[in-house]
Amino acid sequence: MTTLNKTLKGGEFLIKEIQANEIFSLEELSEEQKMLRDSAKEFIDREVVPQKERFEKKDYGFTEEVMRKLGEMGLLGIAVPENYGGLGMEFVTTMLACDYISGVTGSLATAYGAHTGIGTLPIVLYGTEAQKQKYLPDLAAGTKFGAYCLTEPDAGSDANSGKTRAKLSEDGKHYIINGQKMWISNAGFADTFTLFAKIDDDKNITGFVINRSELENPKSLTFGEEEHKLGIRASSTRQVFFNDMKIPVENLLGERNNGFKIALNALNVGRIKLAAACLDAQRRILNHSIQYSNERKQFGVSISTFGAIRKKIAEMATGVFVSEAGSYRAAKNIQDKIDELVAEGMDHQAAELKGVEEFAVECSILKVFVSDLAQHTADEGIQVYGGMGFSEDTPMEAAWRDSRISRIYEGTNEINRLLAVGMLIKRAMKGELDLLSPAMAISKELMGIPSFEVPDYSAFMSEEKAIIANLKKVFLMVSGAALQKYMIDIEKQQHLLLNASEILNQIYMAESAILRAEKHFSSESVEAAMAQLNLYKAVEKIIVAAKEGIVSFAEGDEQRMMLSGLRRFTKYTNHPNVVALTEKIAAHYINKGAY
């Protein structure tokens, strides 16, 4: 595997020219990782695909049954250290398992993600040695399942405003918890609950962990009925009520008042894993669409011969390639950071926390981009099927319903868009990331006379990489000027932050695809065509977002200069033939019959 430049920081891709040999992608999996991928895929195709309709009929027992089988295979304990009964695999491998287990149905994807991620990781990362020894072996083996109780009826994205309270008992041996949580995945069959409450009138929430089976009074933990949802129908989702629930003081997770940080770090991991959970779903939707379009005849020929269908297939395939590129690039960044910190003497638990926290910006980018694209891919899949796509007899309507939740949980996409840009600005203000110097250099560049020399773009991907470098200038130009105008009040300008976020997301994902294609494929490859097609579309989206921002906060000469800069920084020397690229991609996958 490639070892990344050790000086790379989260968000630093904006101000550095990243080389192809500095990124990791699926083409570089080890033999061990390929075996795990193939094992997970074989299990899903054998055990889940033939009985998929059971998930749509709200067969919660079947979800639990499949989860137990995954536990028996060791696939629930991939991220749990070996000394607590897990496999202790590296971060990329945990992404790979999540990717290939989650693709067939959102019900299993949610159960798996909730258990292995937010249900288990807070204990791995923050638990005492006694808590780890007590809870993790059962969670890794699938003999007990985990649930994560954070969301409350009146506290959605503002987790710290929850009303659930914990009070120390008179003898000082227990916390007595009262309150209510909602939208709790796995609640119906979980035994291990990670929950958050404010102790007395504390400013911040505190984490706790408890096994339902160990409660002195089982009636102190009660549940609402199963929620009837648009999608993920066999994912157990219930309200959870704490009624004078007594738990031992040693069950406090982490430190008092530190629950918000636990929640945030668990969600950072959850965000990149959610991107992984959308990948194989996209592949499977694409494969169904290709197969159906090849089989479906209209006017005496397969509909896969029609340009309108071929365009959809090409764009869906491109979306999968780009989503994979960004997701595994970031996963390896995180893994390399963890390894670097461990090599410097840091405890692995602390290193994992720091590694994920370092790339929180990228985690939010991926969560937004890939979940948005997964929904769009499912929507296009329905369109390829036409009227049949709307029928429960075909796989598309369930895929569409399941994909919708991905844009809401682990923080809504709107919250994550604001978070990504907000985190960058905070890092810049703290001096952790120098965005100011390059932003000032761009201002100076805009005042100068542009070069009229025609660059030499004969090297593979040279023009594409030059465009990526210019798109980074667009982000720094727009966000730098907006920050200069609004200063600390920038966080109130959500419209502008959303525009900046769109630019940021498109840059990261387009760069990931370009570097993946450059590193592993030739100039004539279909992968190069997908990277080029995606970049062209990314440029168009960035122009729209940047222009909307510029005309909304800048006036007069400043506005004219920035609009001129936008035209300069989004200019192609050699425009790609978009139709030719689209046709090349479509022909490849339609002839192959699958992605």
Side-chain angles (χ1 to χ4, degrees), residues 41 49 283-297 302-304 309 313 316 381 384-385 395-396 589-595:
K41 187 175 184 304
V49 172
R283 294 186 200 104
R284 289 175 182 271
I285 291 166
L286 171 59
N287 288 345
H288 282 304
S289 299
I290 293 168
Q291 289 155 17
Y292 183 82
S293 68
N294 278 334
E295 294 165 4
R296 173 70 169 160
K297 298 285 196 298
S302 297
I303 64 170
S304 62
I309 297 295
I313 298 294
M316 291 160 79
V384 169
Y385 272 68
M396 289 302 161
Y589 289 111
I590 288 168
N591 292 337
K592 186 181 175 185
Y595 179 74

PDB file of all heavy atoms in Angstrom, residues 41 49 283-297 302-304 309 313 316 381 384-385 395-396 589-595:
ATOM      1  N   LYS A  41     -19.199 -10.355  -0.015  1.00  0.00           N
ATOM      2  CA  LYS A  41     -20.076 -10.316  -1.189  1.00  0.00           C
ATOM      3  C   LYS A  41     -20.756 -11.673  -1.411  1.00  0.00           C
ATOM      4  O   LYS A  41     -21.958 -11.736  -1.689  1.00  0.00           O
ATOM      5  CB  LYS A  41     -19.265  -9.916  -2.424  1.00  0.00           C
ATOM      6  CG  LYS A  41     -20.124  -9.674  -3.657  1.00  0.00           C
ATOM      7  CD  LYS A  41     -19.300  -9.171  -4.821  1.00  0.00           C
ATOM      8  CE  LYS A  41     -20.181  -8.841  -6.017  1.00  0.00           C
ATOM      9  NZ  LYS A  41     -21.014  -9.962  -6.475  1.00  0.00           N
ATOM     10  N   VAL A  49     -29.705 -11.724  -0.856  1.00  0.00           N
ATOM     11  CA  VAL A  49     -30.360 -11.382  -2.128  1.00  0.00           C
ATOM     12  C   VAL A  49     -31.603 -12.239  -2.397  1.00  0.00           C
ATOM     13  O   VAL A  49     -32.665 -11.696  -2.728  1.00  0.00           O
ATOM     14  CB  VAL A  49     -29.358 -11.473  -3.301  1.00  0.00           C
ATOM     15  CG1 VAL A  49     -30.077 -11.325  -4.637  1.00  0.00           C
ATOM     16  CG2 VAL A  49     -28.279 -10.400  -3.162  1.00  0.00           C
ATOM     17  N   ARG A 283     -23.464   0.341  -7.136  1.00  0.00           N
ATOM     18  CA  ARG A 283     -23.023  -0.668  -8.109  1.00  0.00           C
ATOM     19  C   ARG A 283     -24.183  -1.582  -8.498  1.00  0.00           C
ATOM     20  O   ARG A 283     -24.381  -1.899  -9.679  1.00  0.00           O
ATOM     21  CB  ARG A 283     -21.897  -1.522  -7.528  1.00  0.00           C
ATOM     22  CG  ARG A 283     -20.601  -0.807  -7.266  1.00  0.00           C
ATOM     23  CD  ARG A 283     -19.518  -1.793  -6.833  1.00  0.00           C
ATOM     24  NE  ARG A 283     -18.444  -1.090  -6.132  1.00  0.00           N
ATOM     25  CZ  ARG A 283     -18.264  -1.110  -4.813  1.00  0.00           C
ATOM     26  NH1 ARG A 283     -19.071  -1.821  -4.045  1.00  0.00           N
ATOM     27  NH2 ARG A 283     -17.268  -0.444  -4.266  1.00  0.00           N
ATOM     28  N   ARG A 284     -24.945  -2.026  -7.506  1.00  0.00           N
ATOM     29  CA  ARG A 284     -26.029  -2.976  -7.764  1.00  0.00           C
ATOM     30  C   ARG A 284     -27.168  -2.326  -8.561  1.00  0.00           C
ATOM     31  O   ARG A 284     -27.756  -2.951  -9.445  1.00  0.00           O
ATOM     32  CB  ARG A 284     -26.532  -3.579  -6.451  1.00  0.00           C
ATOM     33  CG  ARG A 284     -25.530  -4.554  -5.828  1.00  0.00           C
ATOM     34  CD  ARG A 284     -25.971  -5.072  -4.473  1.00  0.00           C
ATOM     35  NE  ARG A 284     -24.980  -5.959  -3.886  1.00  0.00           N
ATOM     36  CZ  ARG A 284     -24.919  -7.287  -4.063  1.00  0.00           C
ATOM     37  NH1 ARG A 284     -25.825  -7.884  -4.819  1.00  0.00           N
ATOM     38  NH2 ARG A 284     -23.974  -8.014  -3.488  1.00  0.00           N
ATOM     39  N   ILE A 285     -27.480  -1.075  -8.244  1.00  0.00           N
ATOM     40  CA  ILE A 285     -28.506  -0.352  -9.019  1.00  0.00           C
ATOM     41  C   ILE A 285     -28.051  -0.218 -10.472  1.00  0.00           C
ATOM     42  O   ILE A 285     -28.823  -0.432 -11.411  1.00  0.00           O
ATOM     43  CB  ILE A 285     -28.763   1.039  -8.402  1.00  0.00           C
ATOM     44  CG1 ILE A 285     -29.461   0.900  -7.044  1.00  0.00           C
ATOM     45  CG2 ILE A 285     -29.599   1.905  -9.343  1.00  0.00           C
ATOM     46  CD1 ILE A 285     -29.444   2.174  -6.216  1.00  0.00           C
ATOM     47  N   LEU A 286     -26.783   0.145 -10.656  1.00  0.00           N
ATOM     48  CA  LEU A 286     -26.229   0.284 -12.003  1.00  0.00           C
ATOM     49  C   LEU A 286     -26.294  -1.047 -12.747  1.00  0.00           C
ATOM     50  O   LEU A 286     -26.709  -1.094 -13.919  1.00  0.00           O
ATOM     51  CB  LEU A 286     -24.785   0.777 -11.907  1.00  0.00           C
ATOM     52  CG  LEU A 286     -23.974   0.785 -13.215  1.00  0.00           C
ATOM     53  CD1 LEU A 286     -24.634   1.677 -14.273  1.00  0.00           C
ATOM     54  CD2 LEU A 286     -22.543   1.241 -12.945  1.00  0.00           C
ATOM     55  N   ASN A 287     -25.903  -2.129 -12.083  1.00  0.00           N
ATOM     56  CA  ASN A 287     -25.907  -3.439 -12.748  1.00  0.00           C
ATOM     57  C   ASN A 287     -27.320  -3.862 -13.161  1.00  0.00           C
ATOM     58  O   ASN A 287     -27.530  -4.386 -14.254  1.00  0.00           O
ATOM     59  CB  ASN A 287     -25.268  -4.489 -11.845  1.00  0.00           C
ATOM     60  CG  ASN A 287     -23.761  -4.310 -11.736  1.00  0.00           C
ATOM     61  OD1 ASN A 287     -23.158  -3.586 -12.527  1.00  0.00           O
ATOM     62  ND2 ASN A 287     -23.148  -4.949 -10.759  1.00  0.00           N
ATOM     63  N   HIS A 288     -28.297  -3.642 -12.261  1.00  0.00           N
ATOM     64  CA  HIS A 288     -29.694  -3.931 -12.620  1.00  0.00           C
ATOM     65  C   HIS A 288     -30.112  -3.106 -13.839  1.00  0.00           C
ATOM     66  O   HIS A 288     -30.808  -3.606 -14.734  1.00  0.00           O
ATOM     67  CB  HIS A 288     -30.626  -3.611 -11.454  1.00  0.00           C
ATOM     68  CG  HIS A 288     -30.637  -4.647 -10.373  1.00  0.00           C
ATOM     69  ND1 HIS A 288     -30.934  -5.967 -10.604  1.00  0.00           N
ATOM     70  CD2 HIS A 288     -30.402  -4.543  -9.033  1.00  0.00           C
ATOM     71  CE1 HIS A 288     -30.872  -6.644  -9.464  1.00  0.00           C
ATOM     72  NE2 HIS A 288     -30.555  -5.811  -8.500  1.00  0.00           N
ATOM     73  N   SER A 289     -29.710  -1.842 -13.862  1.00  0.00           N
ATOM     74  CA  SER A 289     -30.104  -0.942 -14.956  1.00  0.00           C
ATOM     75  C   SER A 289     -29.495  -1.389 -16.281  1.00  0.00           C
ATOM     76  O   SER A 289     -30.158  -1.358 -17.321  1.00  0.00           O
ATOM     77  CB  SER A 289     -29.676   0.493 -14.632  1.00  0.00           C
ATOM     78  OG  SER A 289     -30.300   0.952 -13.456  1.00  0.00           O
ATOM     79  N   ILE A 290     -28.231  -1.790 -16.228  1.00  0.00           N
ATOM     80  CA  ILE A 290     -27.567  -2.263 -17.443  1.00  0.00           C
ATOM     81  C   ILE A 290     -28.254  -3.529 -17.959  1.00  0.00           C
ATOM     82  O   ILE A 290     -28.576  -3.649 -19.154  1.00  0.00           O
ATOM     83  CB  ILE A 290     -26.067  -2.540 -17.182  1.00  0.00           C
ATOM     84  CG1 ILE A 290     -25.319  -1.229 -16.877  1.00  0.00           C
ATOM     85  CG2 ILE A 290     -25.427  -3.242 -18.379  1.00  0.00           C
ATOM     86  CD1 ILE A 290     -23.908  -1.430 -16.339  1.00  0.00           C
ATOM     87  N   GLN A 291     -28.483  -4.476 -17.056  1.00  0.00           N
ATOM     88  CA  GLN A 291     -29.089  -5.748 -17.458  1.00  0.00           C
ATOM     89  C   GLN A 291     -30.497  -5.544 -18.020  1.00  0.00           C
ATOM     90  O   GLN A 291     -30.862  -6.114 -19.053  1.00  0.00           O
ATOM     91  CB  GLN A 291     -29.103  -6.712 -16.268  1.00  0.00           C
ATOM     92  CG  GLN A 291     -27.717  -7.220 -15.892  1.00  0.00           C
ATOM     93  CD  GLN A 291     -27.600  -7.663 -14.445  1.00  0.00           C
ATOM     94  OE1 GLN A 291     -28.598  -7.905 -13.764  1.00  0.00           O
ATOM     95  NE2 GLN A 291     -26.372  -7.766 -13.951  1.00  0.00           N
ATOM     96  N   TYR A 292     -31.281  -4.698 -17.339  1.00  0.00           N
ATOM     97  CA  TYR A 292     -32.652  -4.452 -17.805  1.00  0.00           C
ATOM     98  C   TYR A 292     -32.638  -3.764 -19.170  1.00  0.00           C
ATOM     99  O   TYR A 292     -33.417  -4.116 -20.067  1.00  0.00           O
ATOM    100  CB  TYR A 292     -33.415  -3.600 -16.793  1.00  0.00           C
ATOM    101  CG  TYR A 292     -34.857  -3.368 -17.181  1.00  0.00           C
ATOM    102  CD1 TYR A 292     -35.828  -4.329 -16.918  1.00  0.00           C
ATOM    103  CD2 TYR A 292     -35.249  -2.192 -17.827  1.00  0.00           C
ATOM    104  CE1 TYR A 292     -37.154  -4.133 -17.287  1.00  0.00           C
ATOM    105  CE2 TYR A 292     -36.560  -1.983 -18.194  1.00  0.00           C
ATOM    106  CZ  TYR A 292     -37.520  -2.953 -17.923  1.00  0.00           C
ATOM    107  OH  TYR A 292     -38.821  -2.762 -18.292  1.00  0.00           O
ATOM    108  N   SER A 293     -31.748  -2.785 -19.326  1.00  0.00           N
ATOM    109  CA  SER A 293     -31.720  -2.043 -20.595  1.00  0.00           C
ATOM    110  C   SER A 293     -31.257  -2.918 -21.758  1.00  0.00           C
ATOM    111  O   SER A 293     -31.636  -2.687 -22.910  1.00  0.00           O
ATOM    112  CB  SER A 293     -30.831  -0.798 -20.474  1.00  0.00           C
ATOM    113  OG  SER A 293     -29.467  -1.160 -20.328  1.00  0.00           O
ATOM    114  N   ASN A 294     -30.435  -3.911 -21.453  1.00  0.00           N
ATOM    115  CA  ASN A 294     -30.022  -4.846 -22.507  1.00  0.00           C
ATOM    116  C   ASN A 294     -31.149  -5.816 -22.878  1.00  0.00           C
ATOM    117  O   ASN A 294     -31.263  -6.248 -24.030  1.00  0.00           O
ATOM    118  CB  ASN A 294     -28.793  -5.647 -22.061  1.00  0.00           C
ATOM    119  CG  ASN A 294     -27.496  -4.871 -22.265  1.00  0.00           C
ATOM    120  OD1 ASN A 294     -27.408  -4.005 -23.118  1.00  0.00           O
ATOM    121  ND2 ASN A 294     -26.486  -5.189 -21.471  1.00  0.00           N
ATOM    122  N   GLU A 295     -31.975  -6.171 -21.891  1.00  0.00           N
ATOM    123  CA  GLU A 295     -33.042  -7.157 -22.117  1.00  0.00           C
ATOM    124  C   GLU A 295     -34.336  -6.528 -22.658  1.00  0.00           C
ATOM    125  O   GLU A 295     -35.066  -7.156 -23.422  1.00  0.00           O
ATOM    126  CB  GLU A 295     -33.350  -7.892 -20.805  1.00  0.00           C
ATOM    127  CG  GLU A 295     -32.206  -8.765 -20.314  1.00  0.00           C
ATOM    128  CD  GLU A 295     -32.378  -9.199 -18.867  1.00  0.00           C
ATOM    129  OE1 GLU A 295     -33.435  -8.870 -18.270  1.00  0.00           O
ATOM    130  OE2 GLU A 295     -31.465  -9.842 -18.330  1.00  0.00           O
ATOM    131  N   ARG A 296     -34.607  -5.299 -22.245  1.00  0.00           N
ATOM    132  CA  ARG A 296     -35.871  -4.645 -22.593  1.00  0.00           C
ATOM    133  C   ARG A 296     -35.868  -4.200 -24.057  1.00  0.00           C
ATOM    134  O   ARG A 296     -34.985  -3.446 -24.485  1.00  0.00           O
ATOM    135  CB  ARG A 296     -36.092  -3.437 -21.669  1.00  0.00           C
ATOM    136  CG  ARG A 296     -37.282  -2.562 -22.014  1.00  0.00           C
ATOM    137  CD  ARG A 296     -38.592  -3.238 -21.741  1.00  0.00           C
ATOM    138  NE  ARG A 296     -39.702  -2.301 -21.823  1.00  0.00           N
ATOM    139  CZ  ARG A 296     -40.953  -2.653 -22.006  1.00  0.00           C
ATOM    140  NH1 ARG A 296     -41.264  -3.944 -22.118  1.00  0.00           N
ATOM    141  NH2 ARG A 296     -41.904  -1.754 -22.060  1.00  0.00           N
ATOM    142  N   LYS A 297     -36.852  -4.634 -24.813  1.00  0.00           N
ATOM    143  CA  LYS A 297     -36.937  -4.286 -26.239  1.00  0.00           C
ATOM    144  C   LYS A 297     -38.051  -3.258 -26.472  1.00  0.00           C
ATOM    145  O   LYS A 297     -39.139  -3.373 -25.927  1.00  0.00           O
ATOM    146  CB  LYS A 297     -37.238  -5.535 -27.073  1.00  0.00           C
ATOM    147  CG  LYS A 297     -36.182  -6.632 -27.001  1.00  0.00           C
ATOM    148  CD  LYS A 297     -34.945  -6.278 -27.802  1.00  0.00           C
ATOM    149  CE  LYS A 297     -34.050  -7.488 -28.082  1.00  0.00           C
ATOM    150  NZ  LYS A 297     -33.515  -8.115 -26.866  1.00  0.00           N
ATOM    151  N   SER A 302     -32.999  -3.354 -28.219  1.00  0.00           N
ATOM    152  CA  SER A 302     -32.788  -3.139 -26.792  1.00  0.00           C
ATOM    153  C   SER A 302     -32.758  -1.645 -26.498  1.00  0.00           C
ATOM    154  O   SER A 302     -32.185  -0.864 -27.276  1.00  0.00           O
ATOM    155  CB  SER A 302     -31.465  -3.767 -26.352  1.00  0.00           C
ATOM    156  OG  SER A 302     -31.484  -5.156 -26.532  1.00  0.00           O
ATOM    157  N   ILE A 303     -33.337  -1.254 -25.371  1.00  0.00           N
ATOM    158  CA  ILE A 303     -33.337   0.181 -25.043  1.00  0.00           C
ATOM    159  C   ILE A 303     -31.925   0.676 -24.718  1.00  0.00           C
ATOM    160  O   ILE A 303     -31.680   1.883 -24.683  1.00  0.00           O
ATOM    161  CB  ILE A 303     -34.316   0.520 -23.891  1.00  0.00           C
ATOM    162  CG1 ILE A 303     -33.912  -0.154 -22.565  1.00  0.00           C
ATOM    163  CG2 ILE A 303     -35.748   0.166 -24.279  1.00  0.00           C
ATOM    164  CD1 ILE A 303     -34.708   0.350 -21.367  1.00  0.00           C
ATOM    165  N   SER A 304     -30.980  -0.256 -24.478  1.00  0.00           N
ATOM    166  CA  SER A 304     -29.593   0.154 -24.232  1.00  0.00           C
ATOM    167  C   SER A 304     -28.940   0.723 -25.486  1.00  0.00           C
ATOM    168  O   SER A 304     -27.829   1.263 -25.417  1.00  0.00           O
ATOM    169  CB  SER A 304     -28.765  -1.025 -23.716  1.00  0.00           C
ATOM    170  OG  SER A 304     -28.717  -2.071 -24.663  1.00  0.00           O
ATOM    171  N   ILE A 309     -30.833   6.518 -22.786  1.00  0.00           N
ATOM    172  CA  ILE A 309     -30.533   5.495 -21.784  1.00  0.00           C
ATOM    173  C   ILE A 309     -29.026   5.363 -21.588  1.00  0.00           C
ATOM    174  O   ILE A 309     -28.524   5.238 -20.469  1.00  0.00           O
ATOM    175  CB  ILE A 309     -31.143   4.130 -22.194  1.00  0.00           C
ATOM    176  CG1 ILE A 309     -32.673   4.212 -22.269  1.00  0.00           C
ATOM    177  CG2 ILE A 309     -30.702   3.017 -21.236  1.00  0.00           C
ATOM    178  CD1 ILE A 309     -33.359   4.474 -20.948  1.00  0.00           C
ATOM    179  N   ILE A 313     -26.700   5.506 -18.135  1.00  0.00           N
ATOM    180  CA  ILE A 313     -25.774   4.440 -17.731  1.00  0.00           C
ATOM    181  C   ILE A 313     -24.370   5.007 -17.529  1.00  0.00           C
ATOM    182  O   ILE A 313     -23.691   4.703 -16.536  1.00  0.00           O
ATOM    183  CB  ILE A 313     -25.746   3.306 -18.788  1.00  0.00           C
ATOM    184  CG1 ILE A 313     -27.128   2.648 -18.941  1.00  0.00           C
ATOM    185  CG2 ILE A 313     -24.670   2.273 -18.439  1.00  0.00           C
ATOM    186  CD1 ILE A 313     -27.617   1.894 -17.744  1.00  0.00           C
ATOM    187  N   MET A 316     -24.261   7.144 -14.339  1.00  0.00           N
ATOM    188  CA  MET A 316     -24.344   6.311 -13.140  1.00  0.00           C
ATOM    189  C   MET A 316     -23.008   5.604 -12.874  1.00  0.00           C
ATOM    190  O   MET A 316     -22.532   5.554 -11.731  1.00  0.00           O
ATOM    191  CB  MET A 316     -25.469   5.277 -13.292  1.00  0.00           C
ATOM    192  CG  MET A 316     -26.867   5.894 -13.291  1.00  0.00           C
ATOM    193  SD  MET A 316     -28.123   4.817 -14.033  1.00  0.00           S
ATOM    194  CE  MET A 316     -28.450   3.673 -12.707  1.00  0.00           C
ATOM    195  N   GLY A 381     -32.214   4.844 -11.869  1.00  0.00           N
ATOM    196  CA  GLY A 381     -32.510   3.429 -12.057  1.00  0.00           C
ATOM    197  C   GLY A 381     -33.991   3.198 -12.314  1.00  0.00           C
ATOM    198  O   GLY A 381     -34.374   2.418 -13.204  1.00  0.00           O
ATOM    199  N   VAL A 384     -34.743   4.265 -15.873  1.00  0.00           N
ATOM    200  CA  VAL A 384     -34.318   3.280 -16.876  1.00  0.00           C
ATOM    201  C   VAL A 384     -35.370   2.185 -17.011  1.00  0.00           C
ATOM    202  O   VAL A 384     -35.703   1.741 -18.116  1.00  0.00           O
ATOM    203  CB  VAL A 384     -32.945   2.677 -16.521  1.00  0.00           C
ATOM    204  CG1 VAL A 384     -32.629   1.466 -17.419  1.00  0.00           C
ATOM    205  CG2 VAL A 384     -31.836   3.720 -16.653  1.00  0.00           C
ATOM    206  N   TYR A 385     -35.921   1.764 -15.881  1.00  0.00           N
ATOM    207  CA  TYR A 385     -36.958   0.728 -15.894  1.00  0.00           C
ATOM    208  C   TYR A 385     -38.302   1.246 -16.390  1.00  0.00           C
ATOM    209  O   TYR A 385     -39.206   0.474 -16.701  1.00  0.00           O
ATOM    210  CB  TYR A 385     -37.138   0.165 -14.481  1.00  0.00           C
ATOM    211  CG  TYR A 385     -36.234  -0.984 -14.116  1.00  0.00           C
ATOM    212  CD1 TYR A 385     -34.865  -0.800 -13.978  1.00  0.00           C
ATOM    213  CD2 TYR A 385     -36.747  -2.260 -13.885  1.00  0.00           C
ATOM    214  CE1 TYR A 385     -34.019  -1.848 -13.629  1.00  0.00           C
ATOM    215  CE2 TYR A 385     -35.916  -3.325 -13.523  1.00  0.00           C
ATOM    216  CZ  TYR A 385     -34.558  -3.104 -13.404  1.00  0.00           C
ATOM    217  OH  TYR A 385     -33.724  -4.147 -13.054  1.00  0.00           O
ATOM    218  N   PRO A 395     -36.395  -4.239  -8.436  1.00  0.00           N
ATOM    219  CA  PRO A 395     -35.589  -3.820  -7.278  1.00  0.00           C
ATOM    220  C   PRO A 395     -35.459  -2.320  -7.084  1.00  0.00           C
ATOM    221  O   PRO A 395     -34.961  -1.877  -6.049  1.00  0.00           O
ATOM    222  CB  PRO A 395     -34.217  -4.440  -7.580  1.00  0.00           C
ATOM    223  CG  PRO A 395     -34.176  -4.589  -9.060  1.00  0.00           C
ATOM    224  CD  PRO A 395     -35.580  -4.848  -9.497  1.00  0.00           C
ATOM    225  N   MET A 396     -35.933  -1.519  -8.032  1.00  0.00           N
ATOM    226  CA  MET A 396     -35.609  -0.100  -8.002  1.00  0.00           C
ATOM    227  C   MET A 396     -36.370   0.706  -6.948  1.00  0.00           C
ATOM    228  O   MET A 396     -35.816   1.589  -6.311  1.00  0.00           O
ATOM    229  CB  MET A 396     -35.845   0.516  -9.383  1.00  0.00           C
ATOM    230  CG  MET A 396     -34.827   0.081 -10.398  1.00  0.00           C
ATOM    231  SD  MET A 396     -33.151   0.494  -9.869  1.00  0.00           S
ATOM    232  CE  MET A 396     -32.216  -0.607 -10.908  1.00  0.00           C
ATOM    233  N   TYR A 589     -19.675  -0.434 -20.517  1.00  0.00           N
ATOM    234  CA  TYR A 589     -20.416  -1.151 -19.473  1.00  0.00           C
ATOM    235  C   TYR A 589     -21.637  -1.886 -20.021  1.00  0.00           C
ATOM    236  O   TYR A 589     -22.002  -2.952 -19.511  1.00  0.00           O
ATOM    237  CB  TYR A 589     -20.781  -0.195 -18.336  1.00  0.00           C
ATOM    238  CG  TYR A 589     -19.560   0.192 -17.546  1.00  0.00           C
ATOM    239  CD1 TYR A 589     -19.055   1.489 -17.591  1.00  0.00           C
ATOM    240  CD2 TYR A 589     -18.876  -0.749 -16.789  1.00  0.00           C
ATOM    241  CE1 TYR A 589     -17.905   1.837 -16.895  1.00  0.00           C
ATOM    242  CE2 TYR A 589     -17.719  -0.412 -16.093  1.00  0.00           C
ATOM    243  CZ  TYR A 589     -17.238   0.884 -16.149  1.00  0.00           C
ATOM    244  OH  TYR A 589     -16.103   1.213 -15.469  1.00  0.00           O
ATOM    245  N   ILE A 590     -22.250  -1.354 -21.058  1.00  0.00           N
ATOM    246  CA  ILE A 590     -23.383  -2.051 -21.669  1.00  0.00           C
ATOM    247  C   ILE A 590     -22.903  -3.342 -22.336  1.00  0.00           C
ATOM    248  O   ILE A 590     -23.533  -4.393 -22.209  1.00  0.00           O
ATOM    249  CB  ILE A 590     -24.112  -1.121 -22.671  1.00  0.00           C
ATOM    250  CG1 ILE A 590     -24.892  -0.038 -21.893  1.00  0.00           C
ATOM    251  CG2 ILE A 590     -25.059  -1.914 -23.571  1.00  0.00           C
ATOM    252  CD1 ILE A 590     -25.420   1.093 -22.750  1.00  0.00           C
ATOM    253  N   ASN A 591     -21.751  -3.271 -22.999  1.00  0.00           N
ATOM    254  CA  ASN A 591     -21.188  -4.480 -23.623  1.00  0.00           C
ATOM    255  C   ASN A 591     -20.713  -5.480 -22.574  1.00  0.00           C
ATOM    256  O   ASN A 591     -20.874  -6.689 -22.740  1.00  0.00           O
ATOM    257  CB  ASN A 591     -20.029  -4.107 -24.549  1.00  0.00           C
ATOM    258  CG  ASN A 591     -20.488  -3.327 -25.770  1.00  0.00           C
ATOM    259  OD1 ASN A 591     -21.658  -3.413 -26.154  1.00  0.00           O
ATOM    260  ND2 ASN A 591     -19.599  -2.565 -26.373  1.00  0.00           N
ATOM    261  N   LYS A 592     -20.140  -4.960 -21.490  1.00  0.00           N
ATOM    262  CA  LYS A 592     -19.668  -5.827 -20.408  1.00  0.00           C
ATOM    263  C   LYS A 592     -20.827  -6.454 -19.645  1.00  0.00           C
ATOM    264  O   LYS A 592     -20.727  -7.560 -19.120  1.00  0.00           O
ATOM    265  CB  LYS A 592     -18.784  -4.992 -19.460  1.00  0.00           C
ATOM    266  CG  LYS A 592     -18.107  -5.773 -18.357  1.00  0.00           C
ATOM    267  CD  LYS A 592     -17.285  -4.814 -17.489  1.00  0.00           C
ATOM    268  CE  LYS A 592     -16.694  -5.544 -16.284  1.00  0.00           C
ATOM    269  NZ  LYS A 592     -16.002  -4.599 -15.374  1.00  0.00           N
ATOM    270  N   GLY A 593     -21.938  -5.716 -19.546  1.00  0.00           N
ATOM    271  CA  GLY A 593     -23.131  -6.223 -18.867  1.00  0.00           C
ATOM    272  C   GLY A 593     -23.188  -5.926 -17.390  1.00  0.00           C
ATOM    273  O   GLY A 593     -24.151  -6.285 -16.708  1.00  0.00           O
ATOM    274  N   ALA A 594     -22.167  -5.261 -16.864  1.00  0.00           N
ATOM    275  CA  ALA A 594     -22.119  -4.923 -15.426  1.00  0.00           C
ATOM    276  C   ALA A 594     -20.963  -3.964 -15.204  1.00  0.00           C
ATOM    277  O   ALA A 594     -20.104  -3.780 -16.066  1.00  0.00           O
ATOM    278  CB  ALA A 594     -21.931  -6.172 -14.580  1.00  0.00           C
ATOM    279  N   TYR A 595     -20.948  -3.353 -14.011  1.00  0.00           N
ATOM    280  CA  TYR A 595     -19.857  -2.442 -13.645  1.00  0.00           C
ATOM    281  C   TYR A 595     -18.619  -3.256 -13.296  1.00  0.00           C
ATOM    282  O   TYR A 595     -18.704  -4.228 -12.542  1.00  0.00           O
ATOM    283  CB  TYR A 595     -20.280  -1.588 -12.452  1.00  0.00           C
ATOM    284  CG  TYR A 595     -19.207  -0.620 -11.964  1.00  0.00           C
ATOM    285  CD1 TYR A 595     -18.907   0.530 -12.695  1.00  0.00           C
ATOM    286  CD2 TYR A 595     -18.497  -0.868 -10.791  1.00  0.00           C
ATOM    287  CE1 TYR A 595     -17.940   1.419 -12.257  1.00  0.00           C
ATOM    288  CE2 TYR A 595     -17.528   0.020 -10.349  1.00  0.00           C
ATOM    289  CZ  TYR A 595     -17.249   1.153 -11.084  1.00  0.00           C
ATOM    290  OH  TYR A 595     -16.278   2.036 -10.658  1.00  0.00           O
TER     291      TYR A 595
END
